[in-house]
Amino acid sequence: MAPKFPFVWLNYTASVFNQHNRKRCFLPLLKMCNFATSKHASAENSGLGSSKKDHLSEHQRQIMAKSLPKQKPIEGVKQVILVASGKGGVGKSTTAVNLALAMLAIQMDCKVGLLDADIYGPSIPMMMNLDGERARMNDAKKILPLQNYGIPCMSMGFLIEKNAPVVWRGLMVTSAIQQLLRDVAWGELDYLVVDMPPGTGDAQLTICQNIPVAGAVMVTTPQDIALLDVRKGAEMFLKVKVPILGVVQNMSVFECPNCGHQTHIFGENGAKRLSKETDIEVLGDVPLHLSIRETSDSGHPICISAPRSQQANAYRHIAQGVLNKLLMKQGVV
């Protein structure tokens, strides 16, 4: 039977935000920003002794720890890998799908799952050729993931109509993500690849604070504006103690299919500059190529439709780097 998602739709009416209400909403936000800035400045410039500062910092950490949820592993899942970016439109979902498929191709005896955590804009159903499919529940009232290409998948797209918008506030998004984490019958998985939504908000914090995460893979283009946002995303993961496995530079170069001339449409070596500034390793480059876009849109990802192509090799190289990083964390390599 179809799962009953315990949420109601919320209608957002812009007219309620008149000029008076805007002032009431934004003033507290400005006060919080000013407070955070002044608090940081006072901590930098205060004459407190180091021992007293350490005591205050420890006291603050204890207070914060009490308010945070306790991390609990997803039943049956050994390691969780987040694929994230600071902004949308950089090819994060395409990277997540092909990363999962490449990991399965490299370690054929392992089990890899794919979770679409983008509640507002789920892409996994189309990319995994599961568009229009609906999830079902088992006798234990757990949602059964849909499977294709040997990978079990779960997405908000399996729970709503194809063209239905998800018009929810942050609290409901948080509840939806918690249900996708806890109420899906994944079975036994070695790796769960999570396609994260863009940004650094409720969804990201909910995942990072509720489950242990083996590491995050950051996706960016060489463009400066994308690098600006991916820095913020990386900083967020560091604050919540999630290891960063590396960065993928997507759409690194365009090669003309007629003459072979290469053009760096979005800039050149942006990820290398980021790596020097942040010590985040570059896992690999993925070119801007028509076949990657076409195969993703058709539901036959490049790692499936053309596994020996140069583009699929780029994803396998990235997947090998991710697996090596995870093995090093376990002390195997």
Side-chain angles (χ1 to χ4, degrees):
M1 63 178 182
K4 295 180 180 178
F5 228 50
F7 306 116
V8 295
W9 293 98
L10 294 180
N11 293 322
Y12 173 79
T13 307
S15 61
V16 300
F17 287 95
N18 54 31
Q19 189 65 31
H20 176 67
N21 282 334
R22 282 197 199 99
K23 290 179 181 178
R24 293 178 61 187
C25 290
F26 292 147
L27 280 176
L29 179 61
L30 291 173
K31 287 179 180 177
M32 284 191 291
C33 292
N34 291 335
F35 173 74
T37 304
S38 62
K39 186 176 180 182
H40 177 73
S42 63
E44 291 287 333
N45 302 320
S46 65
L48 292 175
S50 60
S51 60
K52 193 167 185 179
K53 285 182 182 177
D54 293 342
H55 175 73
L56 288 174
S57 298
E58 181 61 28
H59 181 62
Q60 289 171 348
R61 281 194 291 270
Q62 290 175 359
I63 293 174
M64 290 179 65
K66 290 180 181 178
S67 62
L68 293 176
K70 292 196 183 232
Q71 288 186 335
K72 181 182 176 184
I74 300 174
E75 185 177 354
V77 177
K78 293 179 181 177
Q79 297 192 79
V80 176
I81 304 164
L82 309 182
V83 180
S85 65
K87 66 188 291 98
V90 297
K92 172 180 51 59
S93 296
T94 303
T95 302
V97 167
N98 284 287
L99 173 63
L101 291 167
M103 290 173 68
L104 186 61
I106 293 170
Q107 291 189 1
M108 298 185 67
D109 58 339
C110 75
K111 295 181 180 179
V112 183
L114 185 59
L115 173 61
D116 189 350
D118 194 341
I119 302 298
Y120 293 119
S123 304
I124 298 305
M126 175 179 285
M127 291 186 176
M128 290 295 288
N129 202 27
L130 294 168
D131 208 13
E133 300 289 335
R134 300 301 298 273
R136 295 289 182 266
M137 294 182 75
N138 61 15
D139 294 337
K141 305 299 182 185
K142 292 277 190 178
I143 305 173
L144 294 171
L146 300 177
Q147 186 159 321
N148 199 12
Y149 308 127
I151 293 183
C153 306
M154 191 60 225
S155 170
M156 190 70 189
F158 300 145
L159 303 171
I160 60 173
E161 296 298 329
K162 179 178 179 179
N163 296 319
V166 178
V167 190
W168 289 349
R169 297 189 190 276
L171 182 61
M172 299 184 69
V173 172
T174 298
S175 299
I177 289 175
Q178 288 176 341
Q179 188 168 3
L180 291 177
L181 293 176
R182 301 299 178 197
D183 294 344
V184 176
W186 289 109
E188 298 296 322
L189 291 180
D190 294 292
Y191 307 103
L192 177 63
V193 177
V194 182
D195 179 20
M196 297 286 282
T200 56
D202 291 340
Q204 288 79 6
L205 288 175
T206 298
I207 292 173
C208 294
Q209 293 176 351
N210 278 275
I211 61 172
V213 177
V217 175
M218 307 301 298
V219 182
T220 186
T221 65
Q223 190 177 2
D224 287 342
I225 194 67
L227 293 167
L228 177 66
D229 289 329
V230 83
R231 284 186 182 93
K232 297 174 183 177
E235 184 65 24
M236 179 210 69
F237 284 122
L238 293 176
K239 286 183 181 296
V240 295
K241 310 299 183 187
V242 170
I244 299 176
L245 302 176
V247 61
V248 174
Q249 182 170 252
N250 198 27
M251 310 182 202
S252 58
V253 64
F254 171 74
E255 184 174 315
C256 177
N258 296 320
C259 67
H261 176 72
Q262 291 189 341
T263 304
H264 297 276
I265 294 176
F266 295 105
E268 188 175 2
N269 295 325
K272 290 182 179 178
R273 295 196 306 271
L274 176 69
S275 178
K276 289 181 180 179
E277 295 169 6
T278 61
D279 291 328
I280 298 174
E281 181 181 336
V282 179
L283 292 169
D285 291 357
V286 179
L288 177 63
H289 200 277
L290 180 63
S291 63
I292 296 177
R293 195 274 302 167
E294 288 179 336
T295 55
S296 296
D297 286 352
S298 67
H300 302 87
I302 194 73
C303 285
I304 291 294
S305 58
R308 296 183 180 178
S309 65
Q310 181 182 353
Q311 295 76 39
N313 285 338
Y315 286 114
R316 272 198 299 276
H317 175 75
I318 292 166
Q320 187 64 67
V322 170
L323 291 169
N324 289 343
K325 286 271 190 177
L326 296 176
L327 290 173
M328 286 176 64
K329 280 186 61 183
Q330 296 173 355
V332 177
V333 177

